[in-house]
């Protein structure tokens, strides 16, 4: 089963690279052709929000999660894996800070935070439930695969999610409980109440190449977008 996941991930990465390129071209076309007056953010606003194809995932309560569940509220989505040592937990903590600030302000606080795991082999529903609720009881964790009838590829393709699960060399596997390494991109996706991709928030990058988000930047960018689109 592990080998099957590896093969699917390798094939999916090729598809998703093509998808990400398409998203990149489309987003930059929006920027070039869009009217003036869009707020400036640390990222890209898509004036003509991009549709997300139909998909089926499973949330951390073991309930189906589909494209319909993205509708009704604004959504901020991050992705990664629970065993991530730095970027993922730091980003989720920042998202929790943004959530608190929005509740304190009482304005534009209808923002649902989502975390999508790219490592379903390790991140079972039970494990994901323990992990995601540590940051906020209102966060929703999403996974796919092994014991569930899911269809995650359209979800990843629509957003341009890039990830890779790579088997470790035989001499390294004995020192690693998983036997594989996980890598992924670092962006946040802002989805509007119609369930469409409205903006991609980019991280800051240090001179050493490390990626990070800041609470103030995410908060201000989100508020600016909400003021613009209503």
């Amino acid at each position: 089963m592990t080998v099957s996941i590896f093969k699917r991930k390798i094939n999916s990465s090729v598809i998703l690279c093509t998808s990400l390129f398409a998203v990149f071209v489309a987003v930059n076309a929006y920027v070039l052709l869009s009217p003036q007056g869009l707020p400036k953010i640390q990222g890209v606003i898509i004036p003509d929000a991009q549709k997300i194809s139909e998909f089926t995932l499973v949330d951390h309560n073991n309930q189906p999660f589909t494209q319909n569940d993205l509708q009704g509220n604004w959504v901020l989505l991050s992705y990664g894996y629970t065993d991530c040592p730095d970027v993922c937990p730091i980003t989720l903590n920042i998202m929790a800070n943004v959530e608190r600030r929005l509740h304190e302000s009482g304005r534009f606080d209808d923002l649902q935070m989502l975390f999508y795991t790219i490592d379903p082999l390790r991140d079972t529903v039970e494990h994901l439930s323990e992990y995601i609720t540590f940051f906020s009881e209102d966060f929703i964790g999403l996974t796919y695969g092994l014991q569930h009838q899911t269809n995650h590829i359209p979800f990843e393709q629509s957003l341009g999610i890039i990830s890779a699960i790579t088997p470790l060399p035989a001499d390294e596997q004995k020192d690693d409980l998983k036997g594989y390494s996980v890598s992924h991109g670092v962006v946040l996706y802002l989805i509007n109440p119609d369930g469409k991709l409205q903006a991609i928030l980019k991280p800051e990058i240090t001179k050493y190449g490390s990626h990070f988000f800041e609470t103030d930047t995410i908060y201000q960018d989100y508020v600016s977008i909400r003021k613009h689109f209503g």
Side-chain angles (χ1 to χ4, degrees):
M1 185 173 291
T2 302
V3 173
S4 177
I5 287 291
F6 288 148
K7 288 182 178 178
R8 286 209 305 258
K9 272 295 181 181
I10 292 171
N11 292 334
S12 297
S13 294
V14 174
I15 296 172
L16 292 173
C17 284
T18 303
S19 174
L20 182 60
F21 178 75
V23 171
F24 176 81
V25 171
V27 166
N28 282 277
Y30 286 137
V31 173
L32 292 173
L33 300 176
S34 65
Q36 298 298 314
L38 288 175
K40 294 182 179 179
I41 67 168
Q42 176 67 25
V44 177
I45 296 174
I46 306 173
D48 185 11
Q50 180 173 305
K51 182 180 178 180
I52 297 174
S53 299
E54 293 185 6
F55 63 87
T56 304
L57 303 174
V58 178
D59 70 17
H60 71 274
N61 293 313
N62 203 28
Q63 297 299 312
F65 189 98
T66 70
Q67 203 273 344
N68 291 333
D69 293 300
L70 293 177
Q71 300 178 18
N73 291 320
W74 285 80
V75 170
L76 188 63
L77 168 75
S78 66
Y79 71 99
Y81 60 110
T82 65
D83 200 34
C84 177
D86 41 39
V87 174
C88 296
I90 292 173
T91 299
L92 286 169
N93 188 58
I94 287 170
M95 291 169 67
N97 291 339
V98 170
E99 181 184 64
R100 282 191 289 271
R101 286 187 62 176
L102 289 170
H103 288 326
E104 290 169 0
S105 72
R107 190 179 186 195
F108 303 135
D109 59 352
D110 55 337
L111 180 64
Q112 177 65 62
M113 306 292 191
L114 302 182
F115 175 74
Y116 173 67
T117 179
I118 56 171
D119 186 7
L121 190 65
R122 180 179 178 87
D123 295 341
T124 62
V125 167
E126 295 76 17
H127 184 64
L128 186 60
S129 180
E130 293 178 1
Y131 180 81
I132 197 65
T133 53
F134 172 81
F135 299 96
S136 171
E137 291 292 333
D138 294 324
F139 280 19
I140 296 176
L142 301 173
T143 186
Y144 68 89
L146 311 185
Q147 299 93 7
H148 310 280
Q149 294 297 319
T150 56
N151 183 20
H152 66 286
I153 294 298
F155 179 75
E156 295 190 0
Q157 286 181 339
S158 294
L159 296 174
I161 288 175
I162 291 296
S163 66
I165 293 179
T166 308
L168 294 174
D171 59 339
E172 295 181 22
Q173 288 189 14
K174 62 181 180 181
D175 298 321
D176 189 285
L177 295 176
K178 294 181 296 185
Y180 59 87
S181 64
V182 183
S183 58
H184 60 89
V186 183
V187 296
L188 296 175
Y189 300 103
L190 184 62
I191 299 168
N192 68 24
D194 293 326
K196 296 180 178 180
L197 181 61
Q198 191 73 75
I200 300 174
L201 308 183
K202 299 179 181 179
E204 304 282 353
I205 304 177
T206 69
K207 64 180 180 180
Y208 302 107
S210 299
H211 297 73
F212 68 97
F213 292 99
E214 291 186 335
T215 299
D216 288 344
T217 302
I218 298 301
Y219 176 82
Q220 293 297 338
D221 286 350
Y222 169 67
V223 170
S224 295
I225 292 170
R226 287 297 304 272
K227 286 180 178 178
H228 181 81
F229 288 101

